[in-house]
Amino acid sequence: MNKEMSETLVRTGPGTPMGNLMRRYWVPVLQSSEIAEPDGPQVRVQILGEKLLAFRDTSGCAGLINEFCSHRGVSLYFGRNEEGGIRCAYHGLKFDLSGQCVDVPSAPQVCSRMSIKAYPCIERGGIVWAYMGPADKKPAPPEVEWCNLPPSHVYVSRRLQECNYLQAMEGGIDTSHVSYVHRYEVDIDPMHQGTKANDYIKADGNVIFDIEKTPFGLTLFGRRNGEPDSYYWRVTQWLFPWFTLIPPFGDHALGGHVWVPIDEYHCWAWSINFHPNKSLSAEERRDMERGKGIHVEYEPGTFRPKANKDNDYLIDRVAQKDKRAYSGVFGFSMQDASLQESMGPIQDHEAERLLPTDKAIVMARRMLHEAALGLEQGIEPLALDASAQRVRAAGVLLERSANPTDWAKEHLADGINQSVYSV
Ligand code: FES
Ligand SMILES: [Fe+2]
């Protein structure tokens, strides 16, 4: 990828083309449970290069405001969350959910001039989402399947990843790596083990992709050998601009991610598991809380994984030799994150030499680039229609002569009302 394109894609701060583009979609900010109580402690969170403060006000509504007081720039993290807003601890200015200044004790007459930036919020799938774009362009709330399921059916976690969002998200789009870095983990992980999918993925490391452009983004059809008379197809979606869905493994919970820039060098990797038609079992929930599957264990009191770049992700060379962990790192997410962070905080895209399996990544980059530059020219971006997000990943054995796109048209259109296709 050339320098101009790379620079456009990786910079997402205020006023950048990519930043403007991303601000046209609802952005996951933090888990609802992090600000569980009305008038409970406010939480600092950085998104798209902006330092913000999330809180739940007296009425129970979630809000996202600028972290800093308009008076002399004190962090409102140290303020008081009470009686419908946050009061700055320094001289008592008070701000409500909409960022409006509602009290200047020393000079009430200037109140209307002291407001701060605020973004409207909604809650879906246990996540507080904010809309950070122009007020008159706010899209409908996301309809990605897990957003609208009952809380009992969904488990959500967020993890700090110490690299640019693009190289992290590209791991979510590229399913060809599963045959390598996750090769041994799939057999021991409670949320993947015991499925035919594992056998096919391990037996055929040479996945061939068909990729289809769709109203929501891309559908990837990854072909591996199945039984002697069939192919095993893994159907994955990338939902513009930052959602990825994971093809299912047997009867285990379905999964997906969202990749949200914090700044140029960090991103939030959201990991979601869900059952469309039933609750997650107590055992599944316990495994997820323990950091199994696509979730991780954290450094206490943080969203930084316990296995991180300062300890070489707890690499175990014996486990690597013994074929228990392909790279020596344990856990799907840390296997991916360790490799993605090893590229450097921003991958040197000019130096890369892409392969045929990178076709989907190339298409995704082009779509993001085109949309970001298009928006500068006043062209409305794609995938603003939330109803197009009602899709589901699948894994299926099809006769060798079958066309997977025809199969998908029949079985995956409005996927969330169909059966789960999984082997
Ligand atoms: S700095 Fe916040 S009230 Fe003075
Ligand atoms: Fe992965």
Side-chain angles (χ1 to χ4, degrees):
M1 174 158 59
N2 70 36
K3 181 121 187 118
E4 179 279 318
M5 189 167 173
S6 171
E7 284 295 305
T8 303
L9 293 185
V10 301
R11 313 272 171 215
T12 56
T16 59
M18 201 59 209
N20 289 341
L21 176 67
M22 287 182 163
R23 282 169 175 76
R24 294 294 302 276
Y25 303 83
W26 286 98
V27 191
V29 176
L30 80 174
Q31 283 175 252
S32 294
S33 58
E34 294 174 57
I35 47 169
E37 298 298 324
D39 290 342
Q42 57 272 45
V43 173
R44 280 182 290 229
V45 60
Q46 190 173 343
I47 303 282
L48 301 173
E50 297 185 39
K51 291 190 169 181
L52 303 164
L53 196 72
F55 69 105
R56 195 176 295 281
D57 77 355
T58 314
S59 68
C61 293
L64 186 67
I65 59 175
N66 188 21
E67 185 191 332
F68 305 101
C69 179
S70 54
H71 176 216
R72 274 163 49 204
V74 159
S75 172
L76 296 168
Y77 177 74
F78 299 101
R80 302 181 60 84
N81 181 17
E82 60 189 8
E83 293 162 4
I86 303 258
R87 191 181 287 281
C88 181
Y90 211 10
H91 314 94
L93 267 70
K94 185 170 181 182
F95 306 93
D96 70 10
L97 277 183
S98 66
Q100 203 184 331
C101 183
V102 291
D103 194 13
V104 181
S106 61
Q109 69 279 12
V110 301
C111 199
S112 61
R113 289 197 282 112
M114 302 302 276
S115 298
I116 54 173
K117 185 172 62 185
Y119 297 121
C121 293
I122 52 168
E123 296 183 65
R124 291 281 187 292
I127 295 178
V128 177
W129 307 66
Y131 174 68
M132 299 169 68
D136 59 335
K137 300 284 189 186
K138 194 165 72 181
E143 287 195 36
V144 181
E145 181 170 23
W146 51 263
C147 289
N148 290 317
L149 292 173
S152 57
H153 294 33
V154 190
Y155 184 87
V156 172
S157 70
R158 74 168 160 130
R159 155 177 74 76
L160 176 71
Q161 182 154 339
E162 297 176 69
C163 70
N164 189 265
Y165 82 95
L166 186 68
Q167 68 213 52
M169 180 170 78
E170 288 177 348
I173 298 174
D174 154 35
T175 59
S176 69
H177 74 269
V178 179
S179 296
Y180 298 93
V181 70
H182 304 317
R183 186 177 192 82
Y184 304 128
E185 190 87 10
V186 288
D187 286 333
I188 52 169
D189 181 74
M191 295 164 61
H192 291 77
Q193 64 190 186
T195 63
K196 284 300 279 179
N198 294 349
D199 300 341
Y200 301 134
I201 288 169
K202 285 164 59 169
D204 187 354
N206 187 24
V207 59
I208 295 168
F209 286 107
D210 280 352
I211 298 152
E212 193 179 44
K213 240 178 169 176
T214 66
F216 57 80
L218 294 174
T219 302
L220 284 70
F221 299 88
R223 192 190 84 187
R224 289 179 173 85
N225 291 322
E227 299 302 323
D229 58 348
S230 62
Y231 286 125
Y232 171 54
W233 289 94
R234 283 166 69 77
V235 185
T236 327
Q237 292 87 357
W238 170 62
L239 289 85
F240 195 93
W242 43 35
F243 300 93
T244 50
L245 299 181
I246 304 169
F249 287 80
D251 294 330
H252 295 299
L254 300 176
H257 296 286
V258 200
W259 311 92
V260 179
I262 295 173
D263 58 21
E264 268 106 21
Y265 309 121
H266 303 85
C267 63
W268 291 121
W270 287 90
S271 298
I272 301 99
N273 279 121
F274 60 99
H275 284 302
N277 304 310
K278 61 176 182 187
S279 300
L280 293 165
S281 69
E283 205 182 348
E284 285 176 312
R285 218 167 257 285
R286 191 204 59 205
D287 287 336
M288 293 173 202
E289 279 160 8
R290 283 168 52 219
K292 299 297 176 192
I294 54 177
H295 308 280
V296 298
E297 284 181 71
Y298 298 98
E299 284 190 337
T302 75
F303 290 97
R304 191 180 197 219
K306 201 165 114 186
N308 57 56
K309 64 179 182 186
D310 294 337
N311 54 30
D312 278 332
Y313 309 92
L314 305 171
I315 191 167
D316 181 340
R317 293 294 186 193
V318 178
Q320 187 175 28
K321 216 18 132 222
D322 294 348
K323 302 192 170 174
R324 285 180 288 120
Y326 195 79
S327 68
V329 171
F330 283 97
F332 292 102
S333 285
M334 292 326 297
Q335 286 160 359
D336 288 332
S338 57
L339 304 182
Q340 293 154 3
E341 291 179 4
S342 78
M343 298 166 178
I346 301 179
Q347 187 198 339
D348 179 357
H349 293 110
E350 283 180 288
E352 69 189 1
R353 298 281 177 271
L354 297 180
L355 295 171
T357 51
D358 297 317
K359 192 169 150 197
I361 289 174
V362 171
M363 289 175 76
R365 288 175 178 179
R366 278 196 197 132
M367 286 166 77
L368 288 165
H369 186 244
E370 215 175 281
L373 297 190
L375 187 59
E376 303 286 287
Q377 312 295 320
I379 301 167
E380 284 295 285
L382 69 156
L384 288 168
D385 173 14
S387 65
Q389 297 177 329
R390 296 159 58 88
V391 291
R392 184 187 291 151
V396 65
L397 279 176
L398 297 177
E399 279 180 21
R400 295 214 165 191
S401 58
N403 179 332
T405 43
D406 290 346
W407 177 85
K409 269 192 198 94
E410 198 176 322
H411 297 92
L412 296 182
D414 198 5
I416 71 173
N417 285 325
Q418 306 259 11
S419 326
V420 175
Y421 292 95
S422 179
V423 298

